[in-house]
């Protein structure tokens, strides 16, 4: 366990103890905590410092650490805040995708929710070295160009392929921020936006926050169905399609080669933009990847998004938007309104990271690790839960998509799983409208290691058994 995770774990234990103590009572000494929890004195000192910063404890040199007075917030429990419901009327905001399972799992819980790599899979050493080199640049703290640093834009242009050039790239603050910007920039509030069903919940939240109306278009094992896509454009008059052609979240589906041109042609015929969310470009499991749709787009139909957050670290909030023509000018204008530019040190660090052999080594190691984790979890689920249906073993991405047997509600299974110490994502939040059944999304990248994934499958089987007993 890393020093930072040990500190968080000890702080969580101490918070529980503090809740049982009265203000002014003394906490165990550093020596006692070191022996009791098998941690270093540094970990204890950092945990105390964290709790002191939260206002939970007070440290008195030479005397020890004590529970701080519990200060009530001025007006707590007396202020009438109901007026806010009226003031916020009409300003819908879906908070579901950014709460609960997206947060770090508590100690002892097997993490199969969320969509980030466990720290053991992140290139932390390479990231640290890149950030250190970036900080030594004489212009590291100068203002960055609105569109982003030229070397970084050139790197993303090469990744997109085709005739995409640096001038077609806008650097954004992470994939979610890029999605929010693009939805706001490409369609007026009240407009429909076509989405695959199921799809990424964060995209649904961003679309709704922009005032758009997500309209589902069914998928099958080869991706979004072009025939139903054409019907949806005709029926709704939509001018916007959001899709994930490569390692779709949550199903892991790759849009079939024969359909890639069809989907582009359907969107072009409708006079619509196609938002290509290429979040999993670096998350393949060793198989060749298809070219991004934008590489074969000559008409400016595709607005392409990709990000470094998933394959590197949640805090490397660097993404790229590829667009051409008036839409790029609009997005540049939005960047100036929103935040002027993305922090230069982070962009410089991204350039440093992507320009070294360490990045290629990381991607190769990550590919191997994800392939192994995916296979282990799929095998464990088949063994422990043979009545659950795995829709397919993906060739990339971070998740498995499972359909539950008839009569099992995904929300109930997710709650029972949490009670058994495993965090999973309910499938319902992935559907823009009615779900055709009960599903769970299980991640295999956030767990600490491969044995923990097998343990997670065992706990899921216990949770399913608990529900069967309860239904009696």
């Amino acid at each position: 366990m890393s020093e930072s995770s040990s500190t968080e774990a000890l702080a969580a234990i101490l918070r529980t103890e503090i809740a049982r103590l009265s203000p002014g009572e003394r906490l165990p000494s550093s020596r006692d905590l070191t022996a009791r929890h098998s941690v270093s004195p540094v970990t204890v000192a950092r945990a105390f410092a964290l709790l002191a910063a939260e206002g939970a404890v007070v440290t008195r040199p030479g005397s020890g650490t004590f529970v701080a007075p519990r200060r009530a917030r001025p007006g707590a429990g007396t202020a009438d805040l109901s007026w806010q419901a009226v003031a916020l009327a009409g300003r819908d905001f879906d908070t579901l995708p950014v709460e609960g399972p997206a947060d770090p799992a508590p100690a002892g819980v097997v993490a199969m929710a969320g969509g980030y790599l466990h720290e053991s899979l992140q290139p932390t050493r390479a990231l640290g070295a890149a950030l250190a080199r970036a900080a030594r640049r004489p212009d590291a703290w100068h203002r960055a160009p609105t569109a982003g640093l030229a070397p970084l834009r050139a790197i993303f242009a090469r990744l997109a392929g085709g005739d995409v050039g640096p001038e077609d790239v806008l650097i954004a603050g992470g994939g979610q921020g890029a999605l929010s910007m693009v939805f706001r920039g490409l369609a007026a509030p009240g407009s429909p936006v076509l989405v695959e069903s199921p799809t990424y919940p964060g995209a649904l939240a961003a679309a709704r926050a922009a005032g758009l109306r997500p309209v589902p278009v069914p998928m099958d094992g080869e991706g979004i169905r072009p025939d139903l896509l054409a019907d949806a454009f005709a029926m709704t008059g939509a001018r916007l399609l959001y899709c994930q052609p490569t390692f779709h979240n949550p199903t892991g589906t790759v849009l079939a080669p024969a359909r890639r041109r069809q989907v582009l042609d359907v969107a072009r015929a409708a006079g619509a933009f196609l938002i290509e969310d290429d979040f999993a470009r670096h998350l393949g499991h060793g198989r060749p990847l298809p070219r991004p749709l934008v590489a074969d787009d000559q008409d400016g139909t595709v607005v392409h998004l990709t990000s470094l957050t998933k394959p590197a670290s949640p805090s490397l909030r660097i993404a790229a938007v590829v667009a051409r023509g008036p839409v790029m000018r609009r997005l540049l204008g939005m960047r100036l309104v929103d935040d002027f530019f993305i922090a230069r040190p982070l962009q410089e660090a991204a350039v440093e990271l992507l320009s070294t052999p360490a990045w290629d080594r990381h991607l190769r190691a990550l590919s191997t690790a994800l392939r192994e984790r995916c296979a282990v979890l799929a095998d464990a689920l088949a063994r422990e839960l043979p009545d659950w249906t795995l829709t397919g073993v993906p060739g990339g991405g971070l998740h498995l998509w499972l359909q539950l047997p008839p009569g099992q509600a995904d929300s109930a299974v997710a709650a029972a799983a949490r009670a058994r110490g495993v965090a999973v994502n309910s499938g319902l939040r992935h559907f823009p409208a009615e779900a055709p059944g009960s599903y769970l999304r299980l991640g295999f990248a956030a767990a600490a290691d491969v044995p923990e994934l097998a343990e997670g499958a065992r706990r899921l089987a216990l949770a399913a058994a608990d529900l069967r007993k309860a239904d009696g």
Side-chain angles (χ1 to χ4, degrees):
M1 184 180 291
S2 70
E3 190 70 54
S4 61
S5 58
S6 297
T7 300
E8 289 288 350
L10 179 58
I13 293 170
L14 292 175
R15 289 189 192 99
T16 303
E17 292 191 19
I18 290 168
R20 294 195 295 262
L21 299 174
S22 300
E25 287 196 64
R26 189 176 186 274
L27 270 69
S29 68
S30 177
R31 180 177 297 176
D32 290 342
L33 292 173
T34 298
R36 186 188 308 176
H37 299 287
S38 300
V39 295
S40 70
V42 173
T43 296
V44 175
R46 288 178 175 174
F48 278 155
L50 181 61
L51 294 171
E54 295 172 359
V57 301
V58 174
T59 299
R60 298 170 188 159
S63 300
T65 301
F66 301 83
V67 178
R70 295 186 174 97
R71 296 186 293 273
R73 182 166 48 88
T78 60
D80 181 4
L81 305 179
S82 58
W83 65 272
Q84 293 185 359
V86 177
L88 292 171
R91 296 165 176 83
D92 294 335
F93 188 81
D94 183 4
T95 61
L96 179 61
V98 295
E99 291 179 347
D103 297 328
V109 173
V110 178
M112 291 186 182
Y116 294 125
L117 301 178
H118 186 267
E119 61 185 29
S120 63
L121 298 178
Q122 297 171 21
T124 51
R125 183 171 298 179
L127 281 165
L131 191 60
R133 291 194 301 271
R136 289 195 294 268
R137 291 175 176 266
D139 55 353
W141 292 98
H142 291 184
R143 171 174 175 157
T146 300
L149 297 182
L152 188 55
R153 295 166 69 197
I155 291 171
F156 279 116
R158 289 196 298 273
L159 288 173
D163 61 355
V164 174
E167 68 280 2
D168 302 320
V169 178
L170 171 65
I171 302 303
Q176 192 65 29
L179 265 180
S180 177
M181 174 193 292
V182 169
F183 279 133
R184 287 183 289 120
L186 267 59
S191 302
V193 52
L194 306 186
V195 300
E196 297 151 319
S197 183
T199 191
Y200 167 49
L204 296 176
R208 289 170 178 147
L212 309 184
R213 295 184 293 106
V215 177
V217 181
M219 299 175 59
D220 59 22
E222 296 188 334
I224 194 169
R225 291 181 51 181
D227 55 337
L228 297 180
L229 178 62
D231 291 344
F233 273 124
M235 292 176 62
T236 64
R239 293 293 180 267
L240 191 58
L241 163 66
Y242 167 81
C243 67
Q244 304 165 87
T246 304
F247 307 133
H248 169 267
N249 177 5
T251 67
T253 303
V254 176
L255 187 61
R259 292 190 181 181
R260 300 177 81 82
R261 186 69 249 175
Q262 287 179 284
V263 169
L264 268 176
D265 289 344
V266 169
R268 179 71 183 88
F273 288 108
L274 187 161
I275 301 174
E276 178 186 23
D277 188 347
D278 201 26
F279 77 98
R281 176 60 44 180
H282 296 300
L283 301 176
H285 298 176
R287 302 176 188 173
L289 273 64
R291 284 156 54 98
L293 295 182
V294 72
D296 298 314
D297 172 38
Q298 301 298 319
D299 304 305
T301 299
V302 177
V303 176
H304 173 89
L305 311 181
T306 190
S307 169
L308 299 179
T309 303
K310 298 293 187 185
S313 164
S315 288
L316 188 59
R317 309 300 300 173
I318 292 291
V321 180
V322 176
R324 298 167 178 171
V327 67
M328 175 55 85
R329 291 192 288 275
R330 174 172 293 189
L331 294 175
L332 282 169
M334 293 178 67
R335 164 64 63 232
L336 288 170
V337 170
D338 286 350
D339 50 15
F340 297 118
F341 56 90
I342 303 302
R344 183 164 190 145
L346 204 57
Q347 292 193 60
E348 297 280 12
V351 172
E352 291 285 351
L353 178 68
L354 298 179
S355 302
T356 64
W359 178 244
D360 292 331
R361 290 196 298 271
H362 163 66
L363 293 181
R364 289 194 296 271
L366 180 61
S367 173
T368 300
L370 292 179
R371 182 171 64 249
E372 179 188 12
R373 285 167 169 253
C374 179
V376 166
L377 181 56
D379 289 346
L381 291 168
R383 181 174 62 254
E384 301 282 356
L385 292 154
D387 57 336
W388 290 14
T389 302
L390 180 61
T391 60
V393 179
L398 306 174
H399 309 104
L400 296 180
W401 184 240
L402 294 105
Q403 184 167 12
L404 302 179
Q408 290 192 13
D410 53 2
S411 57
V413 174
R418 175 67 72 153
R420 279 289 184 176
V422 56
V424 301
N425 289 119
S426 168
L428 182 62
R429 59 204 289 268
H430 293 266
F431 291 93
E434 294 80 8
S438 287
Y439 295 83
L440 290 181
R441 191 191 73 170
L442 305 185
F444 45 79
D449 50 34
V450 168
E452 192 168 88
L453 290 171
E455 172 63 14
R458 188 188 71 82
R459 294 185 188 183
L460 279 174
L462 293 174
D466 291 342
L467 288 176
R468 287 194 295 268
K469 290 177 184 177
D471 293 339

